[in-house]
Amino acid sequence: MCAVVEEEVSPRYEMMAEQRRKMTVDSGWVAARSSEVQFSGTQLTTTHPPTLTSPTSPWMEALVPGTVLATLLKNNAVPDPFYGLQNQHIIDIADSGRDYYTFWFFTTFYCKLSSNEHCDLNFRGINYSADVYLNGHEIFLPKGMFRRHSLDVTNFLHPDGTNLLAVLVHPPDHPGTIPAKGGQGGDHEIGKDVTTQYVEGWDWMAPIRDRNTGIWDEVSFSVTGPVRIIDPHLISTFSDDYKKAYLHTTTELENRSSWTAECSLSVQVTTELDDSICLIEHLQTQDLSIPANSHVQYTFPELFFSNPNLWWPNGMGKQSLYNVAISIDVKGFGESDSWSHHFGFRKIESLIDDATGGRLFKVNGEPIFIRGGNWILSDGLLRFSKKRYNTDIKFHADMNFNMIRCWGGGLAERPEFYHYCDCYGLLVWQEFWITGDVDGRGDPVSNPNGPLDHDLFLFCARDTVKLLRNHPSLALWVGGNEQIPPADINAALKNDLRLHPYFESVDETSKFSAGDLSPMLRDPSQYLDGTRVYIQGSMWDGFADGKGNFTDGPYEIQNPEDFFKDYFYKYGFNPEVGSIGMPVAATIRATMPSEGWQIPVFKKLTNGYVKEVPNPIWEYHKYIPYSKPNKVHDQIQLYGDAKDLDDFCLKAQLVNYVQYRALLEGWTSRMWSKYTGVLIWKTQNPWTGLRGQFYDHLLDQTAGFYGCRCAAEPIHVQLNLATYFIEAVNTTSEELSNVAIEVVVWDLDGSCPYYTVHENLSLMPKKVAPIVEMKYPQSENPKPVYFLLLKLYNMSDHRILSRNFYWLHLSGGDYKLLEPYKEKKIPLKVTSKVSMEESIYNIQMLVTNTSKRPSIFEHSSTARLSDGFYATNSLDTVQCGGGQETGWVKRINRCFSWKSDDLKITKINGPDIGVAFFLHFSVHTSKTDYKEGDDTRILPVHYSDNYFSLVPGETMPINISFEVPQGVTPRVILHGWNYDGGEVICEVV
């Protein structure tokens, strides 16, 4: 190792610039419809640059990166397609013709070169083709949404450094038409092009009118010397049970000079110690000569690391990242180019599990039970940002997920997406651009041969691999969704993405060295990828039935107990299982006019089931009902008739929580015995949809978010809803010993009719253990509706490892007794402390149910446990050490180190005793002059927990963080089943 050195190091969660000499071009853009521009590209970039000064000018401020439709919306030239039925009032490209969405984009940038310098103009993504003009010079960009374009414009730059750039962007060649009845991918014509397929509409998405035409990804220019670095490839291998690691590095080098370049090529590996200091782990320099006007591939000698910090998925360990920097100096010039990337030492293996038939993933030799979700993209108009990606991926990590599947009808996701997956530990399943509906079946039946240009598809695929392959979070490549690519494409991908022999082996005990390989095996970094398995389709080779038959799903509401039953899903790994996803009422009001605030009509059928009939706006936004006639009774009506939108959405959140917690707990209950993993369809919506989401498009979480967060804890206690056995789950690689489980039933009167503690338990690693049957329903005179609180805790220090709260009814019953329970006024005390760093607020709260506990706890030897708070290993808001204080509240206050003058105490008085049910916070602006339908919420907000319940005497810490614009005063409001209308808890002055 080398000495500690100080240099500017980006913070851990900031995206690193891959090219230090790169400048992004993301401001100053203007756009206009091509048919309204009278000048050519040559004229626009020489004698007649656009101006916005004339009121009759066709030019408008443009959103780049972005799409034509996003630019039109930015300028109020079209109604908001995500609001109400307004998308129906935007002309579709099928009706307007492609010329209507063919647009000019124009900007200027400054770049002045010195001797022997070169400039590349880079487009990381254009949909679908473009004509580029720079200072009067024309460059044609070929077709394909998922290809990078790097243009040597050295000879086109203006001598004074001011450069005029115009880009004429053409839509996809086959935008298709939207059949009257809609359908998956419209008429499927879009599948003839190498582009996103969802844009013709799906059962969760309305059509995107411009088909995402635009400069949709980053534009930049980079300045280099005579030699530039192209697409380095980083790979780690291991030996001695991961105590020894080797970094393999290959890069392409291009010498653009007319003379042989004598070069010094260096690779440096550093690890960050804090925000300003990094530690150099390795620095290696090699001398080489590169012939004039040539490309060469260079492989560094492998670098050895002893006991490296490993990268682990979420829930398995830390996401340790190193920075790998490559630079090249040219004799007589100096540094010619440099490149850097975060890198994680880890090994991912994938095989079909003999016991379950499901695909099994191992990371660093440890099996990982997959619990994650399907992802389309964050925004249907491709309005991407690092801040949005950070929020999106952190939300997934907060749900304790460990995998995201990038669905084939959407995007090859961007490096920023992958960067945050690297930082938060989300494994990524990346599909190529094939879907069954658009590529082989559907109504009408689609073309089974995929895109018309197979060579273009493969070019885009190979370029995408080079773009993404260095990210440790990338776990596997998949040919397509519910379909495999055409035979020639599939064969080519199998060959291109074949595994290096080291990654085919599960033997990690023998040392691996590139020097040990025969010439035919080569260094692994010389492969296109070589480290990740390629699966031909999402229902093949260990997923669903493994043979491509329709064996994913279902996609509707389920009886919660069914998730635990043998018949529910019989294959080892389900890549898609979906359900409901109603947002909160404030989101409905913010995204729909008042006629969209009408709740469904509940139509009772002759067989006793209820059919929900939604209003037309909900139907357009793809609402999925909370009932399935003939199988599942309406889950909203289990709580009584919904009175209005607020009541309906509140009850929907109860169902969301129950549904998704049961889904994940049902799968986890059969971990390794029946299942290897599950991916929920889907985690979010790229527009204001009303199904399959854990947070809405405005970034407010549903209660299903917290149901998942609870169920997917690495260490978890749960109730099997089919057998009523209490189960303990340990997904970690460490044995848990000397633990106990507390089982407490609370009734609606605030009494405790059932209480047991099971002590001295041991939980083996990566196992699910049935502990004991919960027999309260079989007891004498059980209450028809009751609450169940489970706690798994460490007996040595009483630290709670898992807390799980259920509301339950007896078999054949319902939850209608909870309706009058709303009238109970349960007293609460909320202690809060506010801190602020720049524009980020952090609010720490202690929420206590101050109602009196039953006398049973006063004489119990374990009574102190029920004084406890929720502090699982996955929460970092409380870091308590040892100590002799008695009582959890004192320990919490000591850990937070609060001062009395920093605190705000809010008391909500009430005469009743019982559970404070379904509490949830929201953050709002303090404005009071708003009208009905105005959205006062501040979003996004990160909560350590939400939609929680507190039994008498119980205290829970809640941490809230959010960002607010300057001049906005936020306030925190507490809502709950017993607190209709909300209570202002904290207003930041």
Side-chain angles (χ1 to χ4, degrees), residues 724-984:
Y724 264 57
F725 262 76
I726 307 297
E727 297 173 339
V729 178
N730 180 9
T731 66
T732 75
S733 56
E734 301 293 329
E735 180 182 355
L736 297 176
S737 58
N738 196 31
V739 297
I741 292 176
E742 183 185 51
V743 183
V744 189
V745 168
W746 295 84
D747 63 24
L748 300 185
D749 297 324
S751 61
C752 178
Y754 185 89
Y755 177 87
T756 62
V757 178
H758 306 275
E759 299 183 320
N760 301 314
L761 304 174
S762 293
L763 304 179
M764 300 302 293
K766 302 188 185 301
K767 295 289 184 183
V768 178
I771 304 299
V772 67
E773 184 179 2
M774 203 280 288
K775 295 184 177 181
Y776 174 72
Q778 304 167 20
S779 63
E780 186 176 353
N781 297 320
K783 299 297 177 68
V785 176
Y786 58 96
F787 303 115
L788 173 66
L789 177 61
L790 304 177
K791 291 182 182 178
L792 171 65
Y793 62 91
N794 192 317
M795 294 184 66
S796 61
D797 59 6
H798 304 292
R799 181 169 56 97
I800 296 175
L801 305 175
S802 175
R803 175 191 183 276
N804 202 349
F805 182 88
Y806 294 83
W807 52 100
L808 300 164
H809 61 71
L810 298 181
S811 178
D814 55 40
Y815 294 114
K816 291 178 181 177
L817 287 177
L818 286 175
E819 188 68 34
Y821 190 72
K822 284 182 178 180
E823 303 305 316
K824 283 210 168 189
K825 301 305 175 187
I826 310 298
L828 291 177
K829 176 183 175 182
V830 183
T831 305
S832 57
K833 176 187 177 184
V834 179
S835 61
M836 185 178 179
E837 183 175 348
E838 295 180 347
S839 59
I840 304 296
Y841 284 87
N842 285 284
I843 302 178
Q844 295 172 310
M845 293 187 174
L846 300 179
V847 187
T848 303
N849 179 343
T850 58
S851 64
K852 184 179 179 181
R853 293 183 305 151
S855 59
I856 180 176
F857 293 102
E858 298 176 5
H859 307 290
S860 170
S861 62
T862 57
R864 55 190 169 183
L865 299 178
S866 292
D867 288 330
F869 65 93
Y870 182 14
T872 71
N873 288 338
S874 62
L875 295 182
D876 57 8
T877 55
V878 182
Q879 299 292 335
C880 288
Q884 303 301 316
E885 276 111 297
T886 59
W888 286 101
V889 176
K890 290 182 180 178
R891 292 180 64 185
I892 297 172
N893 278 288
R894 177 170 58 84
C895 295
F896 280 141
S897 299
W898 287 354
K899 298 177 182 178
S900 59
D901 56 353
D902 294 332
L903 304 183
K904 175 180 174 61
I905 297 176
T906 302
K907 292 184 178 181
I908 302 173
N909 296 318
D912 296 316
I913 297 171
V915 172
F917 183 52
F918 216 53
L919 303 173
H920 49 285
F921 289 103
S922 59
V923 182
H924 299 257
T925 64
S926 292
K927 61 178 288 188
T928 56
D929 55 336
Y930 64 90
K931 60 181 182 294
E932 187 180 21
D934 280 357
D935 192 1
T936 64
R937 289 172 298 171
I938 293 173
L939 296 170
V941 181
H942 297 277
Y943 302 92
S944 61
D945 205 355
N946 219 355
Y947 293 97
F948 59 95
S949 302
L950 294 177
V951 302
E954 191 176 25
T955 295
M956 185 182 296
I958 300 292
N959 191 66
I960 304 175
S961 63
F962 53 91
E963 182 177 3
V964 298
Q966 188 174 4
V968 172
T969 301
R971 62 178 177 176
V972 179
I973 297 178
L974 175 67
H975 314 264
W977 195 256
N978 308 103
Y979 310 93
D980 188 32
E983 302 279 350
V984 177

Side-chain angles (χ1 to χ4, degrees), residues 82 183 198 200-208 380-381 620 622 686-687:
F82 291 0
Y198 77 93
E200 282 198 66
W202 225 267
D203 60 4
W204 42 265
M205 183 76 183
I208 302 296
L381 301 187
Y620 189 78
K622 314 297 183 176
W687 80 310

